[in-house]
Amino acid sequence: MNILVVAAHPDDEVLGCGGAIAKHIQQGDKVHILILAEGVTSRKSERNRDDSQAELSALEIVANKASHVLGVSSLSMHDFPDNRMDSCELLDIVKFIEKSIEQYQPQIVYTHHSGDVNIDHRCIHQAVVTACRPIPNHPVHTLLFFEIPSSTEWQTTSSALPFTPNWFVDISETLVLKLEALEAYESEMRSYPHPRSLEAVEYLARWRGATIGVKAAEAFILGRHSIR
């Protein structure tokens, strides 16, 4: 199968479904990763890509290193404004994603949960749902939404739909690859007990696994699944 992962920022692809990515690859599937926002310029008061070139280049290097650890077929990184994707026309984001769907013809698409605290995650969620609307002959038959530590659980339940997973992937054999890929993102990770730490990510995977009777798992919300 062909798999497409649509993520907002470098590291989201690994945090959200790195174990599932590695499992797909071990099963012979081809995984393509599309990262839309550049992931750096929101750290400054004004967006200036020229002033952030060194950081952007370094982040691209580690993103490619993480993809190499997982074994993905392709990684495509783009420059939508970091944490400012609500300033973009939704249609422009949709059309951008549609080009990747047309190119890779994925049967499964992974992307963000709609209720995350991060605005880029929410914008991309809506754009992916729109790009994957079930028109005749559309290749996507399964749409899955992942959780991102330090974004999904930080949203208050009174503000958006909570993350209530109903689809799990056993990553007992690939958790080590997920953690190794996250080690490449050293600049993006934090010290425990921050939820975006290696320890917290492993604890979450162990807990998600325990809820379905395996050693480790990643949890998702099923958006759509059709048997063809």
Side-chain angles (χ1 to χ4, degrees), residues 23 62 68 72 82 96 131 142 174:
K23 185 165 186 170
V62 297
H68 179 73
V72 304
D82 181 42
F96 199 90
T142 305
T174 58

Side-chain angles (χ1 to χ4, degrees), residues 7-204:
H9 315 105
D11 80 0
D12 285 342
E13 78 284 10
V14 183
L15 289 167
C17 58
I21 289 172
K23 185 165 186 170
H24 277 295
I25 292 163
Q26 290 181 357
Q27 293 173 342
D29 299 331
K30 293 183 178 180
V31 179
H32 305 277
I33 297 174
L34 177 65
I35 298 177
L36 296 182
E38 29 81 0
V40 169
T41 58
S42 66
R43 300 169 188 175
K44 300 178 180 179
S45 58
E46 294 184 3
R47 185 180 190 237
N48 189 324
R49 283 185 57 85
D50 292 338
D51 287 347
S52 303
Q53 278 304 316
E55 295 164 275
L56 290 167
S57 297
L59 194 53
E60 183 175 357
I61 290 170
V62 297
N64 277 282
K65 182 178 179 181
S67 290
H68 179 73
V69 169
L70 298 176
V72 304
S73 295
S74 72
L75 169 66
S76 179
M77 300 178 65
H78 301 278
D79 64 351
F80 281 89
D82 181 42
N83 276 283
R84 295 183 175 94
M85 288 194 68
D86 54 331
S87 67
C88 304
E89 295 287 347
L90 179 62
L91 181 59
D92 292 339
I93 306 172
V94 171
K95 288 186 176 296
F96 199 90
I97 294 167
E98 286 178 333
K99 290 180 181 178
S100 290
I101 292 173
E102 182 179 356
Q103 178 180 0
Y104 298 120
Q105 294 291 299
Q107 288 80 46
I108 301 175
V109 171
Y110 292 90
T111 196
H112 293 278
H113 170 52
S114 64
D116 283 12
V117 73
N118 188 289
I119 187 63
D120 292 351
H121 298 185
R122 301 201 300 271
C123 291
I124 289 173
H125 170 91
Q126 186 57 60
V128 169
V129 169
T130 304
C132 293
R133 57 199 183 279
I135 59 177
N137 301 315
H138 199 282
V140 178
H141 61 66
T142 305
L143 188 56
L144 293 165
F145 310 132
F146 49 64
E147 59 183 330
I148 297 293
S150 78
S151 178
T152 307
E153 82 284 359
W154 280 355
Q155 182 64 278
T156 59
T157 56
S158 61
S159 300
L161 290 173
F163 184 80
T164 52
N166 56 5
W167 186 285
F168 296 82
V169 175
D170 181 353
I171 64 165
S172 301
E173 302 301 321
T174 58
L175 175 58
V176 63
L177 290 174
K178 176 180 176 126
L179 297 176
E180 185 180 344
L182 286 176
E183 287 176 352
Y185 280 117
E186 181 180 2
S187 64
E188 305 304 306
M189 302 303 288
R190 300 293 180 265
S191 299
Y192 186 78
H194 195 288
R196 199 169 67 251
S197 62
L198 289 174
E199 295 93 335
V201 170
E202 180 173 1
Y203 295 153
L204 176 61

